[in-house]
Amino acid sequence: MYKKAQLQVLHHSVAMLSFYCSDAVLEIAFTMCEEDCVDQIFGAIGMERSRNSRQERLLWLGKRFAHSYPHHGGSLAVIAYALHCRPIFSLQRTKFCCERALKMDLTSITGWQVLAELRVSEKSLSSVQLCVTRGQEAICHFRNAYGFSLKVAELRLQLVLANAHLASESHDESAKIFSNIAESAGKLEDAEAARVKFAAVEGLIKICLAKELFEEAECKLEELLALDANNHWALAELGWLVFQRGNIDNACTLLVEAVHGQPDIASYHYRLGLIYWKAGDIVQSHKEKAVEQFILTVKLDPSNGDAYHFLGNYYNLSARDKQRAAKCYQKCVTLNPEDSEAGESLCDILDSGGQETLEAVICHDASQKSRRAFWAWRRMGYIQVQQKKWSDAVGSLQYAIRGYPTCADLWEALGLSYQQLGMLTAAIKAYGRAIAIEGGPHVFPLIQSGNIFLLLGSYRKAIEQFQLGLEFAPQNLAAQYGLASAMLGMSKECRALGAFGWAANLTKEASEIAFASCLMFGNVAAVWKLLGDIQVDYVHCLPWEKEGESFGNESEAFSYSVCSWKQQRISKAVNAKRAYQHALHLSPWQANLYKDIAISIDLINYLHGNEMSDENSWCLAEVMALGALMLESNNAELWINMGCLSKQKAIQQHAFIRALQVNGFNALAWAHLGKLYLRECQRDLARQAFDHARSADPLLAISWAGMSVHDHCEGSKVLLEAFASCLYAVQLLPVAEFQLGLGKLAASTGQLQSSKVLAALEQAVQHSPQCPESHNLSGLVWESRRYFLHAILSYKRARYAMQHFGGQSKSLSYHDVSLNLARALCQAGKAKDAVNECENLEKAGMLGSEGLQMYAAALWQIGKDDLSLEMVNKAVTISKENIKASTIGLVCKLVYQISGQVSAMTKLLKTPRDILTDSNFSLTAFAIAILDCNGRFPMFLSENFNLFFLHERSPKLYSLLAAGKQLSESANIRSGVQNAELVLRKALHMHPQSTLIRNQLGFHLLSMRGKSSHIAVRCSCRDLDISPSVQGSTSTPAMLGAAAISCSNCGTRNFRITFSTCTNEGVDGVNVILQLQRWFHLEPWNDTAWYLLILNIFQKAREEKYPNHLCRVIKQLVSSVRWNLFFNKGGDNCPYKGFQLLLCISEIYLQSGDYSGSLKHAISASQLHVSDGMLFFAHLQLARCYASQQDLTSLHNEYKKCLQLRTDCEIGWITLGLLEARYFLQGQNNTAAINHELFLNKRDNAQNSWMALLEVVRGQGFIWHEDFQSAEEALVQACSMWPEEGCLHLIHGAICMELARQSSRSEFLYMAKRSLLKAQDIGHSALPMVSLLLAQAEASIDRKKAKWERNLRLEWSAWPADMKPAELLFQMHLLAVQSRGMSERENDRPECSKSSRSWLLLALHLNPSCSRYWEALKQDS
């Protein structure tokens, strides 16, 4: 009956719609299409049974009635459904039609289903869920309104929702829905329900495939085929799974059946084509079948780019049809721009055909369509690099690297682009990334990186890169050429720094590499030119090696060594000329090669010593330079080269002027022109030329050297400027010519002691050993530095050079060198050799006034006094007026040494008064007069005061006067020191800038006992400069170093470590160490600098409680080599300094816990030959070592030795007293205190402070033995002896507090209060713990809260922020508890900055072992 009623309703609806428009009737008709089991009903009204399905029913009704109801929602929904059912449909058009239908009719089940399926393609799960929900609401509406079942329609909506979950990879949720659909559809006996069930099973299979459960998916596919053997989808999927397992035959059979079942699905043809393509590797005929399937695929689905890809591969590789292949690849790239294989193949085809423009267009289009088409960016970057569009290439390659970060070619191309754009740092990084990629030798980036480093002047890094490149490609010309060039550049750099030996080794190795390149690539001119450049550089940098001092006594050995050195240079110069000639044969059009040949020829002539006799004739070098100009007449460098090589002055001037016409800012041309004018004595023109050169290039050495020569010609007024200019020229270009000029200027200006002059002349000796002047000047420098053996060796070499190579000139002759040699021998103590030299000069008639003076000094040294006086008197008679004063001074010195001070003074009184104006003679006369014992000095001084003290040497005279005052009081040393101090103070007022006076006054203050070290520091801290001429203990750093260790407070600046109780301010110990380090760095041979540096670092270590790093520094400074050299030198101060150093090292080992090392050094100190007062400290250190080892027997023995030796140093007795008190060494009496008291009583003014400290030591001993009553008595005695020292009152107060705690007697509290109040009032600065103890004492006595709070706040301000002790923090906790509830005005007090609990926690953190703090914490909680 229900079916009959449905048929009648459908029949009447169709009939009514044929002649009457009714929306309700149309709605019922469309809903009937969605109803269950209506196939027979639609067949009864005329619809073919074979086509009776939901899709056909909707399309059949749509075709019949949609034109009649164009604005009905159901009609538009059917149209959207029809569009959606097409194999190829427009998503936007279908979506627009569907949304419009739903706006008209919200109850359209078909509309909601189609929209949901469209949302699935958009992967919008939330939209799909909304559409399904609205569709179910529409189904409910029709069920309620018309009684329809619509179960299949509901299952279709659920099917869409499951597909949405599957698309969003929610596999579990989608599997659950698919299973419910399959179960529900299986219960319905309807064809549409069966289709829905099959769709659900397909969904479950898709989930298995997505989860890669291939076996389960295959089983379900087979079950599906068992139900429907003609299911094309199941056949296709099963065939694909079989293909993936490798069973090609079965897969092919299944896919063929699927294609026959549904030939209009492109994916089936594509999969079948892939199977045939795979089988085509075995059977060639299958390739053609695969092509047929791919053609069918693209016909059915023109958007399948993969099919075009395989077609392109077939036409490109098999059919060899490049044109068709290019079209297929192009279609593939158009559809899928990210297909890199197709894109690369297409670009290869176009590139082989020369179609670069089309290739670039395709790459550009692909890159614009997809930002992930990295192949297109890469290919486009390569094309732009090939077209040298470097800026565009950088952007393309950077984007391509995102897709191919491990592609070395991309990084290389990017580095090349950066390099061409001048972005060298970025290029180096890009090449570095290319090198770091694994997968083979990356020679190109290594070579290019080396070239960049070579361009930047980083020769060391360039060498490393080229060497790595040669490891991968040993015969690579670019790598060999770059490595040789880098070594040449580094050689020039080393030569500029003065490292000639290293430079020679580098050029030698570079020469070997370049020669190997020439053998392999002999037709490359650049390689031959590089070889020539390296050989020329080797000639310039090859140093003459000294073979030891003993060889200096052998003239023939010296000659052989120099000749070998010259021959080696000549050989290299000839090889360079041959290399240039070979390069010229290969490239005769290069003008620079002519120039190089000309330079090499001129170098060979110079090394051979060939000089042209006829200046008007042309030499071969000039001819070659002229040949270069014929090729490039507008090259300024070639004109300069012509001017330098020519011997004709007119040609030289013309060449330099012509170079300036080509380039008016050429500094080298201006410099050589100035040099030419200077030789012609045209000084004004020369100065103008040199000024132009320096303005054009301030770093050109020859212009500064020329100005130095010009200033030297001007006279003595500008000698210092000439020296400065020449020094700068030597620093810019260390050549022998400039270095010899610097040595001559240093001799004229008194700068021979400069380390820079010494280094320059040593280099000059290495580069011109055949030149006597270099050896002579080197000897003068060594002599000025008092290294006489080195000076003697240099003078001898200068004579050998004159004998074998000539070299005498107006400025230097053989007898000048012999005279210098005699002087050096005399000063070195080799008087007999000096006498022989002078006798030889006298026989030759070359002994002048200066020679006679040296002769006299040498004769006096060997004991021939009469002959010595005869020679010096002879020197006086023949001496000129300018040296007469020095000769008379020597006479006075010899008379003083031979006949004594009286005869010398008599001789001095007979000298003319005008000679006293000479500064050197005045020093000699003043020194002799000071030593006069007959009282003639005051009269002599008053008569000649104006002559003595009116020149620049007056500070030295005051220094001598102070020394005389000190020596005159030999009976009373302290009085003599005080008199000397008065003289120096007066001299300092007259000469406040004199470093000599300041340093001498500082040392006088340091030599006095008492607190004068801070005054000495202030006296000498004006000048901290360290000049090479300042040596020994008279230098400012030496005085500061001595002051820093003379007072324990001078180095104390770190109050985080200790509190200073000294009222005087010393010098900062850290700055002193820095100054001493600088001094030691400048003069590493200076023992005083080394000694003071060790002592100051030891002082700092003692202050900081001997940290490990400072102990290691001291141990490293005291190295075995330096230690042995120091003790082997001998001298008056050596035992004392060695004694001090041994004690310091012993203390370092003792504090480090190495008792055996400490004992070893202390024993070494006790074995030195020093005074008993010093040996006292050695045995005291031994006693401390034995005490640390608990060796009481040895300790007692050393204690007795200390009592026997005695000392006048108070700190020694204090330390010995501590040992007595600690180890019960004194017996019944305090022996150390008794001895010390006896010692103080013998002095003029016994110091109560030291006696007070001895009482403190006694008190410390009592405290160690817990006898606080005796300790209190000892401290009372100490306070009475030294009442102005607050620390003593602090100690007494603390002892009284302890006695009050032990005995509970109030009188001790009152005593503690009085002592602590004195300590609080006396101290120049707030002492720690004073106010804290005072607060506790006052709180215990009168319980007054205000005094307790005031003292606690005073104690808080006395401590640095990071040194507050735990007890003070606990007291602040108590104060904070008392201060709770105070007014806002009082919140700025320190205890209010934290809560009481915070103060307590801080105290516990610093001292967690205190039980009082834990009890307070329990109460607070």
Side-chain angles (χ1 to χ4, degrees):
M1 293 297 292
Y2 180 72
K3 294 291 182 181
K4 186 177 181 180
Q6 286 182 333
L7 177 60
Q8 290 178 357
V9 170
L10 179 62
H11 181 75
H12 288 301
S13 298
V14 173
M16 187 181 294
L17 289 172
S18 300
F19 60 88
Y20 178 72
C21 295
S22 175
D23 292 341
V25 175
L26 185 62
E27 184 179 273
I28 292 173
F30 282 127
T31 307
M32 288 292 292
C33 295
E34 302 286 347
E35 179 61 347
D36 305 334
C37 303
V38 292
D39 297 343
Q40 297 178 356
I41 300 174
F42 276 88
I45 64 173
M47 186 174 179
E48 297 181 7
R49 188 170 184 84
S50 62
R51 300 176 61 187
N52 194 358
S53 65
R54 172 179 172 269
Q55 178 180 353
E56 295 298 334
R57 290 194 295 269
L58 286 172
L59 294 178
W60 180 73
L61 285 176
K63 289 179 181 178
R64 293 190 63 180
F65 303 112
H67 63 280
S68 301
Y69 301 91
H71 300 293
H72 191 274
S75 300
L76 289 176
V78 171
I79 293 173
Y81 179 74
L83 293 173
H84 184 59
C85 291
R86 290 181 179 181
I88 301 175
F89 64 93
S90 174
L91 178 63
Q92 296 296 329
R93 184 179 178 184
T94 306
K95 183 179 177 181
F96 172 76
C97 187
C98 190
E99 289 177 347
R100 188 175 179 184
L102 291 171
K103 286 182 180 179
M104 296 178 181
D105 184 9
L106 292 175
T107 61
S108 175
I109 299 173
T110 304
W112 287 116
Q113 181 184 346
V114 173
L115 184 59
E117 290 176 354
L118 294 175
R119 297 296 188 187
V120 170
S121 62
E122 294 177 353
K123 297 181 180 181
S124 177
L125 179 60
S126 59
S127 299
V128 172
Q129 290 175 338
L130 178 61
C131 292
V132 170
T133 302
R134 300 298 295 274
Q136 289 176 345
E137 291 176 357
I139 290 172
C140 292
H141 166 71
F142 285 110
R143 284 175 179 171
N144 296 330
Y146 304 107
F148 290 124
S149 175
L150 299 176
K151 292 182 179 179
V152 177
E154 185 177 3
L155 291 176
R156 278 195 293 266
L157 287 173
Q158 291 295 322
L159 188 64
V160 175
L161 180 60
N163 287 327
H165 282 291
L166 180 60
S168 62
E169 299 182 356
S170 300
H171 297 145
D172 295 336
E173 186 67 25
S174 62
K176 181 180 178 181
I177 298 173
F178 280 132
S179 300
N180 293 334
I181 294 171
E183 183 180 356
S184 300
K187 298 177 181 179
L188 299 176
E189 297 179 358
D190 187 12
E192 287 296 327
R195 296 188 188 98
V196 171
K197 180 180 178 180
F198 276 112
V201 173
E202 290 178 3
L204 291 172
I205 294 171
K206 290 178 181 178
I207 292 173
C208 292
L209 294 174
K211 291 183 176 181
E212 297 182 356
L213 302 174
F214 299 119
E215 294 181 358
E216 184 179 350
E218 190 172 347
C219 293
K220 290 186 178 182
L221 285 170
E222 290 176 352
E223 293 175 2
L224 188 62
L225 288 173
L227 298 175
D228 183 7
N230 296 322
N231 190 313
H232 57 85
W233 181 85
L235 289 170
E237 292 297 330
L238 183 59
W240 190 248
L241 287 176
V242 172
F243 170 70
Q244 289 179 339
R245 284 209 319 262
N247 194 342
I248 297 177
D249 295 335
N250 292 338
C252 184
T253 302
L254 292 171
L255 261 298
V256 168
E257 293 180 6
V259 168
H260 287 311
Q262 187 68 32
D264 296 333
I265 297 180
S267 61
Y268 297 169
H269 292 282
Y270 176 70
R271 288 184 174 182
L272 184 58
L274 287 178
I275 295 173
Y276 281 136
W277 186 270
K278 182 69 175 180
D281 297 337
I282 303 173
V283 181
Q284 183 63 30
S285 60
H286 287 352
K287 289 280 187 180
E288 285 76 9
K289 294 181 180 180
V291 171
E292 292 176 2
Q293 295 300 321
F294 289 139
I295 292 174
L296 291 174
T297 301
V298 297
K299 285 182 179 180
L300 294 172
D301 184 9
S303 63
N304 193 323
D306 293 335
Y308 284 108
H309 183 180
F310 283 103
L311 287 172
N313 289 343
Y314 173 75
Y315 291 127
N316 184 29
L317 302 175
S318 300
R320 303 295 180 181
D321 190 347
K322 300 294 183 182
Q323 187 174 1
R324 282 191 177 183
K327 291 181 180 180
C328 292
Y329 284 138
Q330 187 172 1
K331 186 66 176 178
C332 175
V333 170
T334 304
L335 295 172
N336 184 14
E338 298 177 12
D339 192 339
S340 59
E341 185 179 350
E344 293 288 351
S345 301
L346 175 60
C347 290
D348 290 339
I349 293 172
L350 296 175
D351 188 60
S352 62
Q355 297 177 325
E356 293 182 0
T357 304
L358 180 58
E359 181 184 357
V361 171
I362 291 174
C363 293
H364 180 267
D365 293 342
S367 64
Q368 295 302 315
K369 288 181 181 179
S370 174
R371 305 301 290 179
R372 295 185 60 81
F374 299 112
W375 67 269
W377 291 103
R378 178 171 64 177
R379 202 77 186 205
M380 190 163 54
Y382 290 159
I383 294 172
Q384 290 165 347
V385 168
Q386 186 177 3
Q387 295 174 351
K388 297 183 180 181
K389 297 179 180 179
W390 308 112
S391 300
D392 298 335
V394 167
S396 301
L397 294 170
Q398 284 178 339
Y399 206 91
I401 284 174
R402 298 180 184 179
Y404 305 100
T406 58
C407 181
D409 295 337
L410 271 177
W411 287 106
E412 292 175 8
L414 181 61
L416 180 61
S417 302
Y418 280 136
Q419 184 178 356
Q420 296 298 326
L421 291 173
M423 303 169 67
L424 301 182
T425 304
I428 291 173
K429 292 181 180 179
Y431 287 136
R433 292 294 297 272
I435 295 168
I437 294 174
E438 298 180 359
H442 306 292
V443 180
F444 178 79
L446 287 170
I447 293 175
Q448 292 302 111
S449 298
N451 290 330
I452 293 174
F453 285 124
L454 189 62
L455 182 64
L456 295 175
S458 300
Y459 301 113
R460 189 184 300 276
K461 294 181 179 179
I463 290 173
E464 294 176 358
Q465 298 297 317
F466 287 127
Q467 286 176 342
L468 289 174
L470 285 174
E471 289 181 4
F472 294 114
Q475 295 183 353
N476 188 288
L477 174 61
Q480 291 178 350
Y481 185 88
L483 180 58
S485 301
M487 287 184 172
L488 176 61
M490 192 172 182
S491 170
K492 292 181 179 179
E493 191 177 71
C494 294
R495 183 154 58 98
L497 295 174
F500 297 107
W502 195 7
N505 293 333
L506 284 170
T507 49
K508 186 176 181 180
E509 188 174 353
S511 176
E512 295 174 356
I513 296 171
F515 185 72
S517 299
C518 291
L519 294 179
M520 288 188 290
F521 308 96
N523 57 346
V524 180
V527 179
W528 288 103
K529 184 183 184 309
L530 177 63
L531 178 60
D533 293 340
I534 293 172
Q535 300 284 11
V536 170
D537 188 75
Y538 185 78
V539 172
H540 290 305
C541 68
L542 180 65
W544 172 69
E545 299 291 343
K546 301 178 182 178
E547 300 181 0
E549 297 185 1
S550 60
F551 119 92
N553 297 325
E554 301 176 2
S555 176
E556 295 299 328
F558 174 81
S559 174
Y560 176 77
S561 175
V562 175
C563 290
S564 300
W565 171 76
K566 288 182 65 177
Q567 191 60 38
Q568 192 175 359
R569 297 179 72 199
I570 292 171
S571 175
K572 295 298 181 181
V574 172
N575 292 339
K577 184 188 74 170
R578 293 173 181 171
Y580 289 137
Q581 288 174 343
H582 204 133
L584 184 61
H585 284 299
L586 294 173
S587 301
W589 57 86
Q590 293 188 10
N592 284 333
L593 294 175
Y594 288 91
K595 181 192 74 172
D596 293 334
I597 293 175
I599 293 174
S600 62
I601 293 173
D602 184 70
L603 180 60
I604 293 171
N605 293 333
Y606 168 75
L607 294 176
H608 280 295
N610 298 334
E611 296 291 340
M612 291 183 57
S613 58
D614 187 6
E615 293 186 356
N616 295 322
S617 61
W618 287 70
C619 65
L620 182 57
E622 293 178 274
V623 173
M624 297 302 296
L626 187 60
L629 286 171
M630 292 176 66
L631 292 175
E632 295 184 18
S633 58
N634 292 327
N635 192 325
E637 292 184 2
L638 298 180
W639 282 108
I640 296 172
N641 181 56
M642 181 67 188
C644 293
L645 295 176
S646 178
K647 306 301 180 183
Q648 303 179 37
K649 298 176 182 178
I651 294 179
Q652 290 178 0
Q653 184 177 9
H654 170 75
F656 295 142
I657 293 175
R658 186 70 180 88
L660 290 173
Q661 290 176 351
V662 175
N663 181 9
F665 296 97
N666 194 305
L668 192 60
W670 280 113
H672 281 291
L673 188 60
K675 187 177 177 181
L676 178 62
Y677 287 146
L678 199 60
R679 284 201 302 265
E680 297 297 321
C681 298
Q682 298 181 11
R683 297 178 184 173
D684 294 337
L685 293 176
R687 184 177 186 84
Q688 293 177 10
F690 288 137
D691 288 340
H692 279 94
R694 290 190 295 178
S695 62
D697 184 5
L699 298 180
L700 184 64
I702 189 173
S703 59
W704 290 97
M707 281 303 303
S708 174
V709 177
H710 177 275
D711 292 340
H712 183 260
C713 296
E714 292 294 328
S716 59
K717 295 182 179 179
V718 290
L719 279 181
L720 290 177
E721 294 182 12
F723 176 79
S725 298
C726 192
L727 179 61
Y728 189 54
V730 169
Q731 292 173 348
L732 293 174
L733 184 63
V735 296
E737 183 181 1
F738 298 165
Q739 292 163 342
L740 292 177
L742 179 67
K744 295 176 182 178
L745 289 172
S748 302
T749 57
Q751 301 290 332
L752 287 175
Q753 290 185 342
S754 172
S755 57
K756 296 177 181 179
V757 176
L758 172 62
L761 289 175
E762 285 297 297
Q763 293 174 7
V765 169
Q766 290 180 343
H767 277 78
S768 56
Q770 77 283 2
C771 179
E773 285 189 354
S774 62
H775 297 286
N776 183 66
L777 291 172
S778 177
L780 291 175
V781 170
W782 287 118
E783 186 179 356
S784 66
R785 302 175 77 92
R786 306 190 67 80
Y787 286 85
F788 301 116
L789 296 180
H790 290 75
I792 292 169
L793 185 60
S794 297
Y795 292 139
K796 288 182 178 180
R797 286 173 179 164
R799 294 205 304 188
Y800 298 153
M802 287 183 174
Q803 293 172 4
H804 296 283
F805 306 106
Q808 293 197 44
S809 61
K810 296 180 180 179
S811 59
L812 183 67
S813 61
Y814 188 85
H815 84 276
D816 293 332
V817 178
S818 299
L819 197 62
N820 293 337
L821 177 60
R823 183 178 63 252
L825 289 169
C826 186
Q827 294 182 88
K830 299 182 179 183
K832 293 182 179 180
D833 296 337
V835 169
N836 294 334
E837 291 292 335
C838 291
E839 288 177 351
N840 293 333
L841 288 174
E842 187 179 20
K843 292 177 182 178
M846 308 298 293
L847 199 62
S849 176
E850 185 179 357
L852 289 172
Q853 294 181 42
M854 283 186 295
Y855 194 14
L859 290 171
W860 170 74
Q861 288 184 4
I862 63 175
K864 297 181 178 181
D865 298 338
D866 296 336
L867 188 57
S868 174
L869 291 174
E870 179 184 348
M871 290 297 170
V872 76
N873 289 323
K874 183 179 179 181
V876 172
T877 57
I878 65 173
S879 62
K880 299 180 181 179
E881 291 297 329
N882 55 348
I883 62 172
K884 195 167 187 178
S886 62
T887 308
I888 296 176
L890 178 61
V891 172
C892 295
K893 293 177 183 178
L894 289 176
V895 170
Y896 176 81
Q897 294 291 339
I898 296 172
S899 303
Q901 194 275 337
V902 177
S903 301
M905 189 64 188
T906 304
K907 183 71 175 177
L908 183 62
L909 292 173
K910 295 179 180 180
T911 57
R913 293 295 178 265
D914 56 344
I915 297 180
L916 292 175
T917 56
D918 183 81
S919 58
N920 292 323
F921 179 76
S922 63
L923 290 175
T924 303
F926 202 79
I928 294 174
I930 286 175
L931 300 174
D932 180 61
C933 301
N934 297 327
R936 289 179 289 179
F937 172 69
M939 180 180 64
F940 178 75
L941 180 61
S942 61
E943 292 177 355
N944 305 287
F945 183 82
N946 293 334
L947 297 176
F948 275 124
F949 291 94
L950 292 183
H951 51 73
E952 68 279 3
R953 294 293 182 96
S954 57
K956 291 188 176 182
L957 297 178
Y958 279 111
S959 176
L960 290 174
L961 182 59
K965 291 290 184 180
Q966 186 173 357
L967 292 175
S968 62
E969 299 288 344
S970 57
N972 191 344
I973 298 177
R974 189 172 185 85
S975 176
V977 171
Q978 291 176 351
N979 293 335
E981 181 185 346
L982 293 175
V983 173
L984 291 173
R985 288 178 182 272
K986 179 180 178 181
L988 186 60
H989 283 289
M990 299 176 64
H991 303 280
Q993 301 297 330
S994 175
T995 305
L996 175 65
I997 297 297
R998 287 182 171 275
N999 291 338
Q1000 190 172 357
L1001 179 58
F1003 277 107
H1004 273 286
L1005 293 172
L1006 290 178
S1007 64
M1008 298 173 62
R1009 292 287 181 92
K1011 300 180 180 179
S1012 300
S1013 58
H1014 63 286
I1015 304 176
V1017 169
R1018 291 203 304 269
C1019 177
S1020 298
C1021 66
R1022 290 174 56 88
D1023 184 13
L1024 292 178
D1025 292 335
I1026 305 170
S1027 61
S1029 59
V1030 179
Q1031 298 179 357
S1033 60
T1034 59
S1035 64
T1036 302
M1039 201 286 304
L1040 290 177
I1045 59 177
S1046 66
C1047 177
S1048 61
N1049 186 60
C1050 286
T1052 303
R1053 283 295 178 270
N1054 192 356
F1055 294 129
R1056 292 182 65 255
I1057 301 172
T1058 181
F1059 286 90
S1060 175
T1061 58
C1062 183
T1063 58
N1064 301 314
E1065 293 184 2
V1067 68
D1068 191 351
V1070 177
N1071 285 334
V1072 172
I1073 291 176
L1074 292 177
Q1075 292 297 327
L1076 291 173
Q1077 287 175 336
R1078 182 186 172 201
W1079 184 22
F1080 183 57
H1081 177 72
L1082 291 176
E1083 300 180 12
W1085 60 84
N1086 196 313
D1087 292 332
T1088 303
W1090 175 67
Y1091 167 73
L1092 291 175
L1093 178 60
I1094 294 175
L1095 291 187
N1096 275 272
I1097 296 178
F1098 176 80
Q1099 180 87 338
K1100 182 176 177 61
R1102 182 191 60 81
E1103 172 194 341
E1104 298 183 6
K1105 304 297 186 289
Y1106 300 96
N1108 292 331
H1109 68 283
L1110 290 180
C1111 293
R1112 285 196 302 269
V1113 169
I1114 295 176
K1115 291 177 182 178
Q1116 290 172 0
L1117 282 173
V1118 188
S1119 60
S1120 59
V1121 176
R1122 184 61 188 261
W1123 188 267
N1124 294 333
L1125 289 175
F1126 176 76
F1127 279 98
N1128 291 336
K1129 283 187 177 180
D1132 296 335
N1133 293 328
C1134 183
Y1136 172 74
K1137 292 180 179 179
F1139 182 80
Q1140 289 275 23
L1141 292 177
L1142 284 170
L1143 290 184
C1144 289
I1145 298 302
S1146 176
E1147 184 65 21
I1148 290 295
Y1149 279 105
L1150 180 62
Q1151 296 295 335
S1152 302
D1154 187 356
Y1155 302 126
S1156 60
S1158 176
L1159 194 62
K1160 172 185 174 183
H1161 288 88
I1163 292 174
S1164 299
S1166 65
Q1167 294 173 353
L1168 292 180
H1169 298 288
V1170 292
S1171 62
D1172 291 346
M1174 294 173 64
L1175 282 178
F1176 172 90
F1177 288 95
H1179 290 283
L1180 179 62
Q1181 182 68 12
L1182 284 172
R1184 294 178 68 237
C1185 294
Y1186 290 131
S1188 300
Q1189 295 178 337
Q1190 299 299 320
D1191 187 355
L1192 298 181
T1193 303
S1194 301
L1195 169 62
H1196 197 271
N1197 294 333
E1198 297 299 330
Y1199 169 74
K1200 289 182 177 179
K1201 290 180 182 179
C1202 290
L1203 294 179
Q1204 294 173 1
L1205 292 171
R1206 304 174 64 84
T1207 182
D1208 59 351
C1209 187
E1210 296 88 351
I1211 193 65
W1213 294 110
I1214 298 295
T1215 308
L1216 190 63
L1218 287 172
L1219 286 175
E1220 282 182 349
R1222 185 68 174 174
Y1223 297 99
F1224 300 100
L1225 300 177
Q1226 71 271 22
Q1228 297 180 351
N1229 298 318
N1230 193 332
T1231 312
I1234 295 172
N1235 281 278
H1236 191 198
E1237 185 175 0
L1238 293 174
F1239 158 71
L1240 289 176
N1241 290 332
K1242 291 180 180 180
R1243 294 176 58 171
D1244 297 337
N1245 49 344
Q1247 298 183 7
N1248 292 332
S1249 59
W1250 289 107
M1251 293 304 300
L1253 290 179
L1254 277 176
E1255 294 296 331
V1256 173
V1257 169
R1258 288 182 59 240
Q1260 178 66 58
F1262 292 134
I1263 292 174
W1264 280 333
H1265 305 307
E1266 298 184 357
D1267 186 0
F1268 292 98
Q1269 187 68 43
S1270 301
E1272 189 271 337
E1273 295 174 359
L1275 263 296
V1276 168
Q1277 187 70 17
C1279 290
S1280 63
M1281 294 179 179
W1282 196 6
E1284 63 271 12
E1285 179 54 49
C1287 294
L1288 300 182
H1289 296 286
L1290 170 61
I1291 299 172
H1292 180 255
I1295 294 175
C1296 291
M1297 291 288 290
E1298 179 63 22
L1299 287 172
R1301 186 188 67 83
Q1302 291 180 358
S1303 61
S1304 301
R1305 294 167 59 184
S1306 60
E1307 59 265 22
F1308 289 115
L1309 289 175
Y1310 285 103
M1311 294 168 61
K1313 179 180 178 181
R1314 287 194 297 271
S1315 296
L1316 293 172
L1317 284 173
K1318 290 180 180 179
Q1320 195 178 58
D1321 295 337
I1322 292 175
H1324 69 283
S1325 61
L1327 289 175
M1329 304 306 294
V1330 172
S1331 300
L1332 182 61
L1333 292 175
L1334 184 59
Q1336 294 178 357
E1338 290 183 337
S1340 301
I1341 293 174
D1342 49 13
R1343 308 285 182 178
K1344 290 185 178 180
K1345 179 181 176 183
K1347 292 183 178 181
W1348 175 69
E1349 292 179 353
R1350 180 179 63 84
N1351 283 306
L1352 277 183
R1353 294 188 185 103
L1354 288 175
E1355 183 66 23
W1356 179 261
S1357 61
W1359 287 85
D1362 52 350
M1363 291 183 63
K1364 314 288 187 184
E1367 182 61 26
L1368 179 58
L1369 295 174
F1370 179 72
Q1371 295 293 329
M1372 294 302 291
H1373 154 71
L1374 298 177
L1375 186 58
V1377 172
Q1378 297 292 332
S1379 302
R1380 290 175 180 173
M1382 62 175 54
S1383 62
E1384 295 182 358
R1385 295 181 181 178
E1386 299 174 339
N1387 286 336
D1388 57 343
R1389 293 178 178 178
E1391 67 271 14
C1392 297
S1393 60
K1394 292 181 178 65
S1395 64
S1396 60
R1397 186 177 181 84
S1398 299
W1399 290 116
L1400 187 56
L1401 291 175
L1402 288 174
L1404 276 169
H1405 179 72
L1406 291 178
N1407 186 11
S1409 61
C1410 184
S1411 59
R1412 290 191 302 118
Y1413 301 166
W1414 291 106
E1415 292 294 333
L1417 183 62
K1418 290 180 182 179
Q1419 295 175 5
D1420 187 73
S1421 60

